[in-house]
Amino acid sequence: MSHHSQLRNRLGTLLFYTVIFLFFVAPVLRLLVMSCKGPDGYGLQNFAVLLREPRTLKAIVNTLIIAVGSTVFATILGTAMAFILAYTNVRHRHFLEMLVLMPFIIPSYITTLSWAGIVTKKGLLSRLAAALGLGTLDIYSIGGILFIVGICNIPIVYLSVTHTLRKIPKDLEWASRSCGFSIWATFWKIDIPEAMPAIMSGAVLSFLAAIDNFSVPAFLGIPAGIPVLSTYIYEKAISFGPQSFPLAAALSVMLCIIAIGGTLLEVLIRKGGAMESIKEDMSPRVYIRSSRRKITEGILLLGWGLFDLIPLLVMVSNAFLKNYGLAISRQNLSLENFTFVCTDTSVLSSVSNSLLLALITCALCIVIGMAMAYLKVRRGSHAMAVGEKCAALTYAIPGIVLSLAMIFHWTEPLPGLRPGIYGTVNILIIAYLTRYLILQIKGSTNALLSVNPELEEAVRASGGSFLMLWRYVLIPLLTKNVLASSFLIFVSSLTELTLSSMLASADTKTIGLTIFNFQQGGEYSLSAAMSTLIVVLILTGYGIVNFGSFAKKEKIESEFVSGTREAAIRDHAGA
């Protein structure tokens, strides 16, 4: 390599490190500095002031109660469903899995709105509980927040556990059964210990998601006066006073320490139980007899159908009400709410803003994430590996903390440089890119690892250029997997609330922020109408993306159930 090439590579690497530091590391460092800034200079006085406030201690206690309680709830249900769908011969597994994953597909604030329609003092479940002598239910409480956060986190545990269960060697189970142990004894002595790292990893991820969650405590906790750390940071940041931002920064550091500590713990647990090299066995291991299987399937379909669909249907019905809270009648039903959200200039502006943000974020993440993944996987770039870790940092810290760091940093990213992007759509694009880039890097890395490097070597050996390699080989092979991973980024950006609650201005309101403002303003029917349209949009997109895989999985599932497992395994292996 010539001297000029080496110099060019070094300058490129230095520029890359500078950009990574400016976008991913500097905002966090600026947050740390701001948390120590007091009226008398720098120190720990902000932390001392906060710890003397009773509301701070109350927010910490509420956060821990909700996080721990929802984690236990999500871990039990997520692990149970993972075992049933991974190991038994129940039919309709793909549909049941979609019901389990629905809280992961639909934004948590829409899940909150749907449940708020039936778990209120005059709601369906409250009337049923009162009829049974159980008293009234109130979702605007710590218990209500804990319940909704737990529902939203069930998919996290399920996804963590189900793949590990399918990788446990059957030989271990057969050895246990040959020694006289029953199915349940084998499950407790073999499967649970083998899957324990995945269960613990899912539980830690669920805990982190709970302390990161802003939407559910904002919708249910703020009206009820129940503070948690995420909403308390929001309250401090939007309050008046010279120390409002430094105090919010200090609170953010407290929450950030918990989040980063949990993330490191999850990484250690995952490494301790890694089984990435083992291929998943999709065949059932526990065969339920036909009569019992039908009862099991009926209970699961009815239970998860009621669990997921009834709250959504109640939310949809509320969207047609002229007067929220009154009984459903012909006089109280109207399309006015849908007409409003489809014609109001402010609402349409928020929809166009969110669509624009989602498309730009997706496009940037695909281009940048794919480039970083390619250089890391195919060229062994150390700089790209460092960049990936920095991108993971801004995803590990809670969203409300990142939004505050964005404000501190991008007001003046370099001494004397004031780009004036705060309050514009540009700050949201930067925040979304900083938040979600790691998802695309991971997805693109997995996609590249599935492509045989010999294909690329063959293109080079035949004299093909780098452009031909991408045009005729990599892009056709990687498009499906890359777009599948970018779908999560698109949906997250489209329905995002946490970052936009702090960074959006009057001209850059988003879908999530508009629904939040409707709810806080008492316009419950309008928030339900807009949420209904968003759910239809998301489920339609999800159905389009997964239509092909749905048919494939249903075919595989039917072969498993009918007993022709060899054909199913061949079919699955060739997929």
Side-chain angles (χ1 to χ4, degrees), residues 400-462:
I400 195 71
V401 175
L402 179 62
S403 63
L404 200 61
M406 292 285 110
I407 295 174
F408 297 150
H409 177 65
W410 288 105
T411 302
E412 189 177 3
L414 295 173
L417 177 63
R418 293 180 177 270
I421 62 174
Y422 178 64
T424 69
V425 71
N426 295 326
I427 188 68
L428 287 170
I429 293 174
I430 293 173
Y432 287 7
L433 177 64
T434 305
R435 181 70 167 171
Y436 299 123
L437 179 60
I438 185 63
L439 300 178
Q440 191 62 57
I441 295 174
K442 295 290 186 183
S444 299
T445 298
N446 292 333
L448 278 168
L449 290 174
S450 66
V451 176
N452 193 332
E454 293 180 358
L455 293 174
E456 302 175 40
E457 295 174 3
V459 173
R460 296 191 189 96
S462 60

Side-chain angles (χ1 to χ4, degrees), residues 214-278:
F214 171 79
S215 303
V216 179
F219 274 78
L220 302 180
I222 291 178
I226 301 172
V228 297
L229 284 174
S230 59
T231 57
Y232 194 33
I233 293 169
Y234 175 75
E235 292 174 16
K236 286 291 185 183
I238 65 175
S239 63
F240 296 100
Q243 285 300 106
S244 58
F245 272 169
L247 290 175
L251 278 172
S252 299
V253 170
M254 294 180 187
L255 187 59
C256 199
I257 290 173
I258 299 174
I260 292 178
T263 302
L264 294 175
L265 176 62
E266 190 273 332
V267 170
L268 291 174
I269 293 172
R270 192 172 61 223
K271 284 184 177 179
M275 290 194 289
E276 284 79 5
S277 59
I278 302 177

Side-chain angles (χ1 to χ4, degrees), residues 86-386:
Y87 275 5
T88 68
N89 62 329
V90 294
R91 295 167 298 181
H92 317 296
R93 284 187 290 176
H94 185 65
F95 180 69
L96 283 168
E97 185 175 67
M98 187 188 73
L99 291 177
V100 174
L101 296 179
M102 189 172 288
F104 193 70
I105 301 168
I106 297 174
S108 60
Y109 56 83
I110 294 182
T111 302
T112 305
L113 288 176
S114 64
W115 275 94
I118 57 174
V119 189
T120 59
K121 293 181 179 179
K122 295 183 180 180
L124 178 65
L125 287 184
S126 292
R127 294 199 300 268
L128 179 61
L132 296 174
L134 301 176
T136 58
L137 303 175
D138 186 10
I139 199 169
Y140 293 91
S141 62
I142 290 181
I145 298 173
L146 185 155
F147 177 70
I148 300 300
V149 172
I151 289 175
C152 295
N153 292 343
I154 288 174
I156 297 175
V157 180
Y158 172 82
L159 291 172
S160 176
V161 177
T162 186
H163 297 295
T164 300
L165 285 174
R166 287 170 175 156
K167 292 180 179 180
I168 297 176
K170 279 187 176 181
D171 296 348
L172 297 176
E173 298 173 357
W174 290 342
S176 173
R177 296 297 301 279
S178 65
C179 292
F181 289 102
S182 65
I183 293 176
W184 284 109
T186 300
F187 174 69
W188 287 109
K189 292 181 179 294
I190 302 296
D191 296 323
I192 287 293
E194 289 291 322
M196 187 55 66
I199 295 172
M200 292 175 63
S201 175
V204 173
L205 288 174
S206 176
F207 179 86
L208 294 174
I211 66 172
D212 182 27
N213 195 299
F214 171 79
S215 303
V216 179
F219 274 78
L220 302 180
I222 291 178
I226 301 172
V228 297
L229 284 174
S230 59
T231 57
Y232 194 33
I233 293 169
Y234 175 75
E235 292 174 16
K236 286 291 185 183
I238 65 175
S239 63
F240 296 100
Q243 285 300 106
S244 58
F245 272 169
L247 290 175
L251 278 172
S252 299
V253 170
M254 294 180 187
L255 187 59
C256 199
I257 290 173
I258 299 174
I260 292 178
T263 302
L264 294 175
L265 176 62
E266 190 273 332
V267 170
L268 291 174
I269 293 172
R270 192 172 61 223
K271 284 184 177 179
M275 290 194 289
E276 284 79 5
S277 59
I278 302 177
K279 187 177 180 180
E280 290 187 29
D281 184 352
M282 304 296 292
S283 61
R285 307 186 186 194
V286 177
Y287 285 85
I288 306 174
R289 286 182 295 181
S290 178
S291 58
R292 292 183 179 180
R293 188 187 67 192
K294 290 179 180 179
I295 295 174
T296 302
E297 292 166 353
I299 292 173
L300 290 174
L301 290 171
L302 179 62
W304 281 99
L306 294 174
F307 206 62
D308 283 337
L309 301 181
I310 292 299
L312 286 176
L313 292 176
V314 171
M315 182 187 73
V316 172
S317 65
N318 288 336
F320 290 93
L321 296 179
K322 291 181 181 179
N323 299 296
Y324 186 86
L326 297 182
I328 298 177
S329 62
R330 181 178 298 179
Q331 293 76 19
N332 197 30
L333 293 177
S334 173
L335 293 174
E336 292 177 0
N337 298 316
F338 290 99
T339 302
F340 179 85
V341 299
C342 290
T343 58
D344 182 73
T345 305
S346 177
V347 174
L348 293 178
S349 176
S350 69
V351 173
S352 63
N353 287 337
S354 290
L355 283 172
L356 178 66
L357 285 166
L359 290 172
I360 293 176
T361 302
C362 241
L364 290 175
C365 283
I366 289 174
V367 173
I368 299 173
M370 176 56 72
M372 292 180 64
Y374 181 82
L375 292 174
K376 183 188 72 170
V377 174
R378 294 293 190 249
R379 304 291 175 84
S381 174
H382 176 72
M384 297 304 120
V386 173

